[in-house]
Amino acid sequence: MRRYSAFAIAREALRHHTGWERAWRSPEPKKHYKVIVIGAGGHGLATAYYLGKNFGIRDVAVLDKGWLGGGNTGRNTTIIRSNYLQDPSAAIYEKARSLYETFSQDLNYNAMFSPRGVLMLAQTHHEVRGYQRTAHANALQEVETEWVGPERVKEIVPIINIDGPRYPVLGGLWQARGGTARHDAIAWGYARACSGMGMDIIQQCAVTGVRSEGGQVTGVVTTRGDIACDKLAIVVAGHSGHLADMAGFRLPIESAPLQALVSEPIKPCIDCVVMANTVHGYMSQSDKGELVIGGGTDSYNGFTQRGSFNHIEETVRALIETFPIISRLKMLRQWGGIVDMTGDRSPILSKTPLGNCFINCGWGTGGFKAIPGSGWAMAELVANGEPGPLAADFGLDRFREGRFIDESVAAGVAH
C-alpha cells in the first residue's frame, strides 16, 4: 500500500495523476476465511482493522449487501464526544475519542478530525442537576468536561439566544476536546488499511443465511455463494435483528428511522457542536458552510431511510428558537438511517448462543462517535473469544440479569 504524502501529491501532479492506485481492492470471495465480518460500515471495518493490527488476524473478509459505508456511517451528523455518565459508556467512548485524535496519523488517511468542542445545553433545572452530576462523574472517569454557566455559553456560541421563548439556557456541559470528523473518510481510511493488510472487502454480497454444525458457526450463505469461516462477527446496525434471526437467536432491540438535514451553505457562524436535548435538536457547521442538523428518532419502528416530515419540522422549530439567525435558511438536503435501539440505550458487544458467533449492535443514535472504540473492543472479543475490559459490561446477559447501563435515563437522550 503506497503511503499518501505531500511528496506523493507533487509526484502525481507531474504525471497528471495517472499513478494513483485504488484505495482498496475488490476481490472475489474465497471459499474460507478465519473471520468473516458482516457489515462494511465504520464498526465492521474498524473490527477488521484492529483484528489485523492488534492480533495479527488478517485472513478476514468484510461482507456488505450494498456499498462500503453506505449505511449509517454515511448518514449521520458526525458528532464525537465521550461525556457519558455511566462508567462503561464513558470508557468505550473516551477510547474512541482518543483514537479519533490520532486516526489520520495512524492510518495515513485524512479523517478531517476537528476537535471544535461539544456543548450540551441545560434548559431545565432537572438538566442542570443532571449535567453537573455528569461533570463530577467525568472528573472521576478522567474524561475532560466542565459545567459552564449561561454567560460562558454565550461566549462559546455568540449566535445563541439564551433567553429562549420556551426554555431559557441555564448553562451547559462543555467538552472542549469533542468535535466532528468526516464520516465517509472514517470508512474509507479503515477500508484502505484493511485492504493493505490483505483482507478482502466484498461489496454487493448480501448474507442470506448462517450455517452452523453442532452449535458452532461454520459459514454464511450469500448471493455470491457459500463462504466458510471459523468465526463470525455480525456488525450490521439496524439490520441486526434480521441477521440474529438467521443465526437462530433473538435480540432485545428495535429499529427506527433517524433523520438529519443540512442547510444551504453560509459563512461561518458557529464553530462548535451544540446539542439541545429539552427541545431536541443539535447543530454544527460543516467545512462547506452547511448547518448540519439532527434530532431524535421517529416515533415509529421501521426500516426506511427517509423519515417523516413532521419530525423535521419539530427539530427545525426547536433550533430556530435557540438560534433565531437561521430562521430564513433553506434546507439543502435530508436523509435518514436505520438505528438499532436497546432498552437501556447502550450497545451490545457480546458472544451469542451460537458458538464462535459474535455481535456488535445497539448503538442507537450514537454509533459514529464510538467507531474506533467499538472496533477495538469487538476485535478483542472475536480474537480471544471473551470480552476485554471495554466490552465486558455490554454482554447480552445483562438484559436477563437486570444489569442495565441506562444512558437514556442518565443523559435524558439516547445520543
Side-chain angles (χ1 to χ4, degrees), residues 22-101:
R22 289 183 177 273
W24 57 84
R25 298 174 296 111
S26 296
E28 289 297 315
K30 297 187 298 188
K31 293 295 184 181
H32 178 274
Y33 294 92
K34 186 171 184 179
V35 178
I36 288 177
V37 178
I38 306 176
H43 290 257
L45 291 165
T47 298
Y49 172 73
Y50 291 113
L51 277 170
K53 180 182 179 182
N54 294 349
F55 299 96
I57 300 173
R58 301 189 175 190
D59 184 19
V60 177
V62 185
L63 313 181
D64 200 281
K65 71 174 185 178
W67 66 93
L68 187 152
N72 291 354
T73 301
R75 296 173 177 270
N76 62 81
T77 51
T78 75
I79 297 171
I80 298 168
R81 67 181 181 89
S82 60
N83 52 351
Y84 281 74
L85 176 66
Q86 310 290 359
D87 289 348
S89 303
I92 197 165
Y93 283 108
E94 178 64 9
K95 178 67 175 180
R97 192 205 57 76
S98 65
L99 289 171
Y100 268 125
E101 286 191 328

Side-chain angles (χ1 to χ4, degrees), residues 42-262:
H43 290 257
L45 291 165
T47 298
Y49 172 73
Y50 291 113
L51 277 170
K53 180 182 179 182
N54 294 349
F55 299 96
I57 300 173
R58 301 189 175 190
D59 184 19
V60 177
V62 185
L63 313 181
D64 200 281
K65 71 174 185 178
W67 66 93
L68 187 152
N72 291 354
T73 301
R75 296 173 177 270
N76 62 81
T77 51
T78 75
I79 297 171
I80 298 168
R81 67 181 181 89
S82 60
N83 52 351
Y84 281 74
L85 176 66
Q86 310 290 359
D87 289 348
S89 303
I92 197 165
Y93 283 108
E94 178 64 9
K95 178 67 175 180
R97 192 205 57 76
S98 65
L99 289 171
Y100 268 125
E101 286 191 328
T102 60
F103 181 98
S104 298
Q105 294 76 22
D106 294 342
L107 279 83
N108 184 228
Y109 200 92
N110 184 11
M112 299 171 68
F113 175 67
S114 172
R116 62 185 64 186
V118 175
L119 179 64
M120 303 178 70
L121 301 180
Q123 295 179 279
T124 67
H125 290 289
H126 171 74
E127 278 191 312
V128 170
R129 292 190 296 269
Y131 284 145
Q132 288 177 340
R133 178 190 181 200
T134 300
H136 293 310
N138 290 162
L140 295 173
Q141 297 154 348
E142 298 184 351
V143 175
E144 295 181 19
T145 63
E146 62 175 316
W147 166 260
V148 296
E151 295 79 11
R152 176 67 176 134
V153 169
K154 186 68 174 177
E155 290 178 5
I156 296 171
V157 195
I159 67 171
I160 199 168
N161 175 21
I162 62 174
D163 301 314
R166 286 191 296 169
Y167 297 100
V169 175
L170 305 177
L173 184 64
W174 171 241
Q175 184 171 22
R177 295 179 69 179
T180 62
R182 167 75 187 209
H183 45 15
D184 295 322
I186 298 303
W188 299 337
Y190 277 130
R192 178 172 176 268
C194 288
S195 183
M197 287 190 281
M199 299 178 185
D200 289 349
I201 300 169
I202 305 169
Q203 303 173 78
Q204 306 296 326
C205 181
V207 174
T208 59
V210 176
R211 294 191 179 278
S212 62
E213 184 176 328
Q216 301 287 316
V217 71
T218 59
V220 294
V221 181
T222 80
T223 52
R224 297 177 65 173
D226 293 1
I227 308 174
C229 65
D230 299 332
K231 294 182 177 182
L232 178 66
I234 299 173
V235 196
V236 293
H239 295 287
S240 298
H242 291 307
L243 269 295
D245 185 60
M246 294 179 193
F249 60 91
R250 295 185 65 188
L251 290 172
I253 66 168
E254 56 185 2
S255 296
L258 177 70
Q259 58 188 313
L261 62 127
V262 295

Side-chain angles (χ1 to χ4, degrees), residues 383-403:
N384 298 333
E386 295 292 336
L390 286 177
D393 292 303
F394 295 107
L396 272 169
D397 56 358
R398 78 176 190 269
F399 297 99
R400 183 179 65 251
E401 299 171 359
R403 297 183 292 101

